[in-house]
Every structure is written in C-alpha cells, then in structure tokens.
Amino acid sequence: MLESRSQTQQSSSHNGPEASLWSSGFSMKLEAVTPFLGKYRPFVGRCCQTCTPKSWESFFHRSLMDLGFCNVILVKEENTRFRGWLVRRLCCFLWSLEQRIPPCQDPLQKIMESTGVQSLLSGRAPGGAGEGQPPALLKEEVRRILGHIQAPPRPFLLRLFSWVLLRFLNCLFLNVQLHKGQMKMVHKAAEAGLPLVLLSTHKSLLDGILLPFVLLSQGLGVLRVVWDTHACTPALRALLRSLGGLFLPTEANLFLDSPEEVFARGVVRAAVEQLLLSGQPLLIFLEEAPGAPGPRLSALGQAWLGLVVQAVQAGIVPDVTLVPVAIAYDLVPDAPYDMHQASVPMGLWTGALAVLRRLCSGWGCSHKACVRVQLAQPFSLQEYTTNARSCWGDRQTLEHLLQPVILGHCAIVPDTEKEQEWTPVTRLLLALGEEDQLLVRRLSRHILNASVASSAVMSTAIMATLLLTKHRKGVALSQLLGDFSWLTEEMLLRGFDVGFSGQLRSLVQHTLSLLRAHVVLLRVHQGDLLVVPRPGRGLVHLAHLSAELLPIFLSEAVGACAVRGLLAGRVPPEGPWELHGVELLSQRELYHQVLLLLHLLPRDLLLLQPCQSSYCYCQEVLDRLIQCGLLVAEETPGSRPACDTGRQRLSAKLLWKLSGDFSDSDSDDFEEAQGRCFRLGEQSRCPDFFIFLCRLLRPLLKAFAQAAAFLRWGRLPDTESGYVEQLLGFLQTSAQEEGLFEYADPNLALSAVWTFRDLGVLQQTPSPAGPQLTLSPAFASQDSQHKLEQFIRQFVCS
C-alpha cells in the first residue's frame, strides 16, 4: 500500500487538475491507525464442530495463526537456487523451471480395467454391449470419451504457462495473498495419504487459472480443475485439458437419459474414481459462474461432488479430505464479454485479446487490485456422512409455512425447516440413492457456507457499503476515515478477516482510487474532500460490492428487520428513536417475526448450515441483537433478573437432553422464555446502527415488495423468462423514480419470481409452448395481493 501511495504521489504532478484534486484531499495530517484488534487477526476457516468434531481437532494448531501471509506472485532471487545479477532479471523464468510437477502417466489403461468400464463393456450396465454394440467399438468409444474428459498434464506447457501467468498477474494485481498457516493445514492433510478435493467459491473467470497456479507454487502439485464444457471452444478445452482441466463430454448430458448419455456418464464415473485413486488434488466450483442468472449453487459442481461421494460410498477410496476454498478480489477482473448472454463460447483468440486489452489498460497504472485466497480447515467426508444424517428433520414447503400466515388463515408459524431447492438435480446425482442425494445437496451448502465465512472482506466492499448505507448523499473524507475504521473493527469483532492492512489514510486513498469510476470527489473548504457515489450504474456496482458484507451482519440484519416489522404497526416509521424504545417486545413476538423473515428469505442468500435448526438460528439472532446493544432485557419489578442463574434448578430432562437434539423437546425452553421482554437500546449509536443493519437487506426486500405490487400489472400467463423480463423492466422504472438503483437487478428479479412460485403466488401450468406461469387462485384477488405486499413491506426500511 505504501508503494502504491508513493507512486500515486509521483504521478500526481503530471496528471492534470484531477490528480491535484486527489492529492489535496489526502494532504491532511492524520494518525496512522492499524485496523486490527490487538496483536493477532482472526484465524478463520475452522470446520464445523457439530458435524466433524474429530477433524476440528486435527490439522490445526494454534501456532499456525502466527505464520503470517505470503505474496504468491512476488518472486525474487531468493526464491530460486541461483544468485547473481542475471538471476535477478530472470528469476520468474527460473522459478517456473524449478516448480515440482509430479509425473503423471496416462490413466487410460487403468480406467479401461476398472470395474465400471468393464461392466459397460460386458453389457452388465445400461448403455453397454448388451445394447447391441460390439465390445471393440465400445472400447474405441471409451477412449474417445476419455479424450474429451482429460489429458495427461504436459510439464513443459505447465512451466511455460506458469511463467506467462506470473508476469500477467504482476501486471494485473498488486499482490495475491495466502496465509501460510492455512497452507500448512492443507499440506498436513495431503501427507495423510487421502485424496484432496477442494471446493471453491466462484468470483471470476480467472479463478480456474489463478487457484491452480497458487497451489502449484506452494508445492501441492498439479490441480485438476473442473470446467464447464459449454463455456469454452474446442481449442480452449484442448489447452485447458493439457494444463490439468477436466470436462464432461458433450454426450454426458446432465438432464437426459438416453443410452448414449448413460454410457458417457459411466465413463466419467470411472475417470473420477481413477483420479481419486491416483491421489491428484481436484478443484470443484460450488457456485455458478459470475454473472450467471439462476441459482447460486452450481448443478455441475453438485454433479462432480456426487461422483466423489459415490466413490467413497462404493469403497473405491476409503475416505476423501474436503477443503473449502474462498477467493476475494478488490475488484473482479472484467470478463471480455458477458459469456452467459453470448451465443459463442469463449475461445483462445477471445481470451488472448482480453488479456492484451487488460495489459494495455493497466500499463503504468499504479492503482492495482489485491487478491486474497483463503483455505479453510480440511475435514473428512466419511466423518461428515456419519454425523450429518443425525441432524436431518422434517421439512415443509414455503407454501405450507407462510401462505396461511400471509392470508390471515393462521397466526402460528410451524417450527420446521423450509424445503427449497433451486439448483436442478442432474442425472449424475440421480444415480445416487435418495438419502445420498440429500447428503450431497446438504454437503454442498455446508461447504459453501464455510467458504463464504472464511472469505476475506476487501476494502472496496467496506467502502461501497458505507457509501450506500450511511452516506448516499455524500460524506467528507475526514468522517469517512472514522467510519471505515469503525466498520473494520466491527467485522473483526465478529470473527471475520479482512484482506488489507496498513495506514488508514493510504488504505482509503487506494480504495477510492480503485472506485474512481463509481464515485465523485469534490473539493470543499479547509482542504477536505467530499465523496459522493455516482448515480445510476455506479450505485448498481457499489451494491454488488457491498453484498460481500451481508454474511457478516446477516443475523443482526435479520433481527433488525424483524424488529422493524414488529414496530411497523405500533409506531410511525418516521417517529423518533425514543418513541420506538418505549415499546416492549416479547420474546415470543421476536421469535415469530424472525421465523417469518427467515422463511421468506431465499436459502441461497442465507446459506445456513444444514445442521442448524430454525429455532437455534432464532436464538442466535436474539443473542446477536443483545450483544450489539440494540435490545436490552426489561426486568419486571419483583422478578428475578434474567442474568441470575444461581437459583435455577436443572431438571433431570434438561440434564440428560442430548446436545444435538433439536426436536419438539426444545419447546420446553421456548415456553420458559415466553415471559421475557426487551426494549430497544438507548445508546447514542443504536439508531444509526439499526438503520445500517436494515439497509443491508433492503435491496432484496424492496425487490420482493415491488414484485408483489407488480402482480396487478403483470401480463400472465407467460413463460418464466418472459415474466422475469417484465418484472425487471418494472423494477428499473421504479428505481429511476425513487433513485434506489441497487434493487433493479436481474438476479433479484429472478429470486422474487422463484420465491413467489414456492410461496404459491405463481404456479406453473403445462402448455404446448412449454411451462407457463399463471397467478394462483389464492392470490387472484387484489385483497390477497395487498396482504402479500404489506407482509413484505413491514420488513423494509424506508
């Protein structure tokens, strides 16, 4: 950061009046603030103690927390075996030659001899020789399909590509940080002899190249990466296969069930089994590619994870070590075009031109983004499988949970889990049993939760959140510095890590430099600067960045919106905070309101751990609100204080209750808490913090409320994609009128349509042209639509 700051100051003399404007605002004398609490920063990424208690104790030691970080793309003379002036100029090339690439033989013969392929060749499996094809032709077909799936990595090409990529990353990023302690955990897991499967978030198209490079540089070997077949041209697929990429063959359709598809999927299953037996690490992306409209969890990622689970269940390998991975960027590198809306997949020439454009635009630029790679604690798949099945309970659809409450037919919310799966089930996953399918879906959600929880928060996300939620009309730089430090400490107090360090003034300068296209800087009196977010597309981009902070404050945000819903019918929203603080809120009402909002919010947004019940999450929300001071327990005269536990007697049923038992027996504790009441906190910071939390969920809730209002004007019946386009146009028009552009988002429109479909507001009916969305009879009247809109708007902060 200091180097970037010095370069900025050197270039400010010849960049015109805009550069002088920037430098004048940062000439104030400010104290250097280290944005960390105490000596140590939080060590994130511990595995779940409920599902994997043995793994939680292994692969970790407190000494790992003190190992610090390394910049993966910083290669010097000391990183090679040679010394001298020539080495200092060729150190990157020499470093790439010294990378350890284990020899990898062609696994064709072993795959041909595997049990699965032999079953296909002998006709014992569907799609095999029993379907009328001679074995000789089937062998050739197996070889052809394997050629589409993988290829032996070429060491020379890997070294050459590593050298080119190292130079490109140094031109593109300021640093790529990796925690040495986390890397040591992964090395320790690899030394145990079990195959490693890394499951990662997906933030950029560059992830599939950057992560293998990082792990290869740390001595983990060649990482086999799962790629989407339809996103690359045949030429690019051939290059990526030579670098360790894995592809599903075009015949292995995920959603069809013809003999050709069954045969191809059998070969894919055998290839994965042989890959695990060989001990090569595997990388699977659990999130859909960035910018892809649809569910957050990837159907392709779940299919490959299902193949891994199936190999362990069949005893091909005794166990597999799973490693959640997260990657965070200051600014995500721009894709050459929107690959999800283009009719042509990405090719070699397209990628090369995009790299050249990026290099030309970034040449001589001193404001480069930073990257942080996080490796969470590894855990055993067998251990998770054994313990996770005990946490499964009854589930109900969203229509049964919320529709009676919305329409006024029922006032009690069932304390059961919500059944909501938006990721389509593939044929590879259907090959498993029903319980194993549920296991894979829960495991993928559990791992994605761990990856998001361990992901570092970058400075651009903090700045975007502050500008959107606290300073939409502009803020002086001196006040912004204090708010930046406050929000950083709040995140660290909650056990989340940040992807930056250094002096506060230099850090804010670097962050605003990265966001120059989305903010406006105005010079005011006394040499200070006024920072104002740009309207329109600038606010939309800031909203995407600020979404990275939602998992950190999600419990408090859900609780604050629930309290907002409770007070909506009692106190005017524009009333003073003291008037809100007079109202008593019972614990029964708080639980009820949190459950309502919890069921309304999509599971892809919440990403709750499957082992955590709704009751436990409601208690966590209440505890968080008490800890941050927004709720204060109200003591009635003559009663024993709530904090006085000395006279409480532990009954036998409480003493012998299992810690993991979240059944109806928990209703005893729920009934004991019915008489507790709370008031809003009276501290001076409470009103601002309450509004800050409510505004974190405002884009999603606002989009849902507008979707409910659009039911009166929407043209139905229509296809799902057509109705989403209608709703998106309505959201964009409303955003222009209100100046709140962050909720006019295609993903939010799609989430609203899917939520209304699960809620029973919209229903699908078959037609010759395909499935059509129609308005359900329960919400055909304007009175029912009004009730739905008012139910959602009670949680929205104005």
Side-chain angles (χ1 to χ4, degrees):
M1 294 299 178
L2 294 178
E3 179 183 355
S4 174
R5 179 189 176 197
S6 62
Q7 293 174 355
T8 304
Q9 291 175 348
Q10 291 173 6
S11 61
S12 63
S13 58
H14 51 79
N15 282 344
E18 185 179 5
S20 62
L21 176 62
W22 276 80
S23 60
S24 64
F26 292 100
S27 60
M28 300 179 296
K29 293 184 178 180
L30 298 174
E31 295 182 0
V33 177
T34 304
F36 302 111
L37 299 178
K39 184 178 180 181
Y40 301 106
R41 62 196 306 159
F43 189 85
V44 298
R46 300 297 303 274
C47 62
C48 179
Q49 198 171 6
T50 302
C51 300
T52 52
K54 294 181 179 178
S55 299
W56 191 82
E57 297 175 356
S58 60
F59 307 133
F60 175 77
H61 193 271
R62 296 191 63 86
S63 61
L64 299 178
M65 303 168 59
D66 305 332
L67 294 182
F69 294 85
C70 65
N71 184 7
V72 178
I73 62 175
L74 180 61
V75 176
K76 297 182 179 180
E77 179 185 4
E78 293 77 12
N79 299 107
T80 67
R81 293 180 296 140
F82 309 99
R83 297 293 181 268
W85 65 271
L86 185 59
V87 175
R88 287 191 288 272
R89 287 154 180 79
L90 300 176
C91 57
C92 292
F93 181 73
L94 295 175
W95 173 85
S96 63
L97 293 179
E98 292 179 354
Q99 293 305 302
R100 185 181 66 86
I101 300 178
C104 181
Q105 300 178 354
D106 191 352
L108 175 61
Q109 188 61 33
K110 293 183 178 180
I111 294 177
M112 294 292 293
E113 296 173 356
S114 65
T115 305
V117 173
Q118 288 299 317
S119 298
L120 291 172
L121 296 179
S122 61
R124 295 192 302 271
E131 302 292 328
Q133 301 185 42
L137 292 179
L138 287 177
K139 288 184 179 179
E140 291 300 323
E141 184 70 9
V142 170
R143 292 189 179 93
R144 187 187 67 81
I145 293 175
L146 285 176
H148 287 292
I149 297 173
Q150 62 181 4
R154 300 181 181 180
F156 172 75
L157 188 59
L158 279 169
R159 299 183 194 279
L160 179 63
F161 189 78
S162 297
W163 172 64
V164 174
L165 185 61
L166 179 62
R167 302 305 300 264
F168 171 69
L169 292 177
N170 275 285
C171 296
L172 190 60
F173 300 117
L174 185 65
N175 54 54
V176 178
Q177 296 287 342
L178 177 68
H179 198 286
K180 297 178 183 178
Q182 295 175 351
M183 195 67 236
K184 193 170 182 179
M185 283 195 307
V186 177
H187 276 298
K188 188 177 179 181
E191 292 170 359
L194 295 174
L196 283 179
V197 177
L198 297 95
L199 300 121
S200 175
T201 58
H202 205 1
K203 301 299 182 185
S204 168
L205 299 176
L206 191 62
D207 295 348
I209 298 175
L210 178 61
L211 288 175
F213 168 80
V214 170
L215 297 177
L216 176 65
S217 67
Q218 300 302 309
L220 201 62
V222 180
L223 196 63
R224 309 307 294 263
V225 185
V226 173
W227 291 86
D228 187 2
T229 304
H230 304 288
C232 309
T233 60
L236 183 57
R237 289 202 298 267
L239 173 63
L240 294 176
R241 275 195 296 265
S242 301
L243 298 174
L246 297 175
F247 293 88
L248 281 180
T250 53
E251 298 88 348
N253 192 291
L254 294 177
F255 304 103
L256 297 181
D257 213 4
S258 65
E260 292 78 10
E261 277 88 18
V262 173
F263 183 82
R265 290 197 292 265
V267 178
V268 172
R269 191 175 299 111
V272 172
E273 293 172 356
Q274 183 56 41
L275 179 68
L276 296 176
L277 286 172
S278 65
Q280 301 178 64
L282 176 65
L283 173 63
I284 301 173
F285 291 106
L286 285 182
E287 280 186 316
E288 285 289 356
R296 183 173 184 176
L297 284 168
S298 168
L300 178 65
Q302 282 193 353
W304 283 88
L305 181 58
L307 293 174
V308 174
V309 172
Q310 190 174 11
V312 176
Q313 300 280 37
I316 305 298
V317 289
D319 198 2
V320 166
T321 302
L322 303 178
V323 184
V325 182
I327 184 167
Y329 299 87
D330 271 334
L331 289 179
V332 177
D334 296 328
Y337 58 92
D338 193 349
M339 58 176 294
H340 306 286
Q341 297 180 0
S343 58
V344 181
M346 180 182 294
L348 279 175
W349 286 110
T350 307
L353 290 175
V355 170
L356 288 177
R357 277 201 304 268
R358 187 68 186 180
L359 291 176
C360 293
S361 62
W363 187 265
C365 179
S366 60
H367 308 297
K368 300 178 182 179
C370 302
V371 186
R372 169 71 67 80
V373 177
Q374 298 281 118
L375 303 173
Q377 184 178 5
F379 64 92
S380 164
L381 175 59
Q382 279 282 25
E383 184 186 10
Y384 178 85
T385 303
T386 304
N387 297 329
R389 297 183 189 273
S390 62
C391 299
W392 295 357
D394 296 333
R395 307 172 72 85
Q396 293 187 15
T397 62
L398 187 61
E399 182 176 356
H400 287 90
L401 288 172
L402 277 191
Q403 190 182 105
V405 179
I406 294 174
L407 297 178
H409 301 157
C410 178
I412 301 176
V413 187
D415 188 13
T416 58
E417 305 306 311
K418 177 176 61 174
E419 178 65 39
Q420 189 179 54
E421 291 293 341
W422 288 351
T423 304
V425 181
T426 63
R427 290 294 179 181
L428 284 171
L429 203 57
L430 287 175
L432 300 173
E434 187 174 346
E435 283 195 359
D436 290 335
Q437 294 176 32
L438 182 60
L439 173 69
V440 172
R441 290 197 295 266
R442 285 173 170 262
L443 176 60
S444 58
R445 197 172 297 277
H446 204 297
I447 295 176
L448 189 56
N449 171 276
S451 299
V452 172
S454 63
S455 179
V457 181
M458 309 305 285
S459 59
T460 49
I462 298 177
M463 184 66 67
T465 304
L466 289 174
L467 293 177
L468 276 181
T469 59
K470 293 177 68 70
H471 308 297
R472 180 181 290 267
K473 296 183 179 180
V475 57
L477 181 62
S478 55
Q479 183 181 353
L480 187 60
L481 291 170
D483 289 343
F484 192 95
S485 178
W486 161 77
L487 189 53
T488 301
E489 290 187 358
E490 289 289 340
M491 291 186 299
L492 294 170
L493 279 171
R494 287 160 175 79
F496 285 80
D497 199 5
V498 292
F500 53 86
S501 62
Q503 290 186 338
L504 181 62
R505 182 175 60 175
S506 301
L507 181 61
V508 172
Q509 176 186 9
H510 181 78
T511 306
L512 290 176
S513 300
L514 294 174
L515 298 176
R516 294 181 74 167
H518 312 292
V519 298
V520 178
L521 299 181
L522 303 173
R523 183 185 298 168
V524 293
H525 64 282
Q526 298 180 355
D528 202 352
L529 284 180
L530 184 66
V531 183
V532 183
R534 293 183 187 271
R537 295 298 304 173
L539 290 177
V540 175
H541 185 83
L542 293 179
H544 289 162
L545 290 175
S546 66
E548 301 295 327
L549 263 73
L550 185 56
I552 302 173
F553 298 96
L554 183 60
S555 298
E556 292 97 324
V558 169
C561 290
V563 172
R564 168 72 176 79
L566 276 178
L567 297 175
R570 306 181 185 180
V571 183
E574 63 276 3
W577 181 260
E578 293 77 11
L579 187 61
H580 290 75
V582 173
E583 294 293 327
L584 280 179
L585 307 174
S586 69
Q587 189 159 332
R588 176 197 290 270
E589 295 174 324
L590 288 170
Y591 275 143
H592 180 265
Q593 204 73 4
V594 170
L595 270 179
L596 289 176
L597 184 56
L598 187 64
H599 291 323
L600 177 65
L601 296 176
R603 293 185 66 190
D604 282 3
L605 171 74
L606 294 173
L607 280 182
L608 300 182
Q609 291 182 346
C611 58
Q612 187 180 29
S613 67
S614 298
Y615 171 79
C616 290
Y617 189 75
C618 289
Q619 187 60 49
E620 178 186 338
V621 168
L622 188 60
D623 292 342
R624 291 290 186 90
L625 292 179
I626 295 173
Q627 289 173 5
C628 66
L630 288 180
L631 285 183
V632 179
E634 177 70 14
E635 306 291 352
T636 58
S639 64
R640 179 168 47 85
C643 59
D644 183 10
T645 60
R647 300 182 182 180
Q648 293 183 7
R649 296 181 178 180
L650 298 178
S651 61
K653 62 177 181 179
L654 186 59
L655 284 173
W656 292 102
K657 183 188 295 186
L658 296 176
S659 60
D661 182 15
F662 301 127
S663 60
D664 293 338
S665 60
D666 288 322
S667 59
D668 300 333
D669 300 331
F670 188 85
E671 293 297 332
E672 292 176 5
Q674 297 306 305
R676 298 176 188 169
C677 293
F678 300 89
R679 293 184 188 274
L680 294 180
E682 298 179 356
Q683 301 179 18
S684 58
R685 70 179 187 91
C686 285
D688 290 339
F689 192 51
F690 182 83
I691 295 175
F692 167 78
L693 294 174
C694 289
R695 286 178 177 174
L696 290 177
L697 283 174
R698 183 170 63 177
L700 177 69
L701 293 174
K702 185 74 174 178
F704 280 19
Q706 293 295 96
F710 182 66
L711 293 174
R712 305 185 185 93
W713 298 285
R715 296 184 301 274
L716 290 173
D718 196 357
T719 61
E720 182 179 284
S721 58
Y723 189 72
V724 169
E725 288 295 328
Q726 290 186 50
L727 178 58
L728 181 60
F730 178 75
L731 293 179
Q732 291 172 345
T733 304
S734 302
Q736 291 284 349
E737 297 173 355
E738 299 179 6
L740 301 174
F741 295 90
E742 55 266 29
Y743 69 84
D745 186 90
N747 287 324
L748 294 182
L750 186 60
S751 296
V753 172
W754 283 355
T755 301
F756 284 8
R757 183 191 61 193
D758 296 342
L759 190 56
V761 179
L762 302 172
Q763 58 185 14
Q764 280 188 336
T765 57
S767 69
Q772 298 277 320
L773 284 180
T774 59
L775 199 60
S776 68
F779 289 90
S781 65
Q782 291 192 2
D783 181 59
S784 300
Q785 298 171 10
H786 178 73
K787 289 180 179 179
L788 174 64
E789 183 180 356
Q790 291 304 312
F791 172 79
I792 300 174
R793 288 195 183 277
Q794 66 175 328
F795 302 111
V796 181
C797 177
S798 59

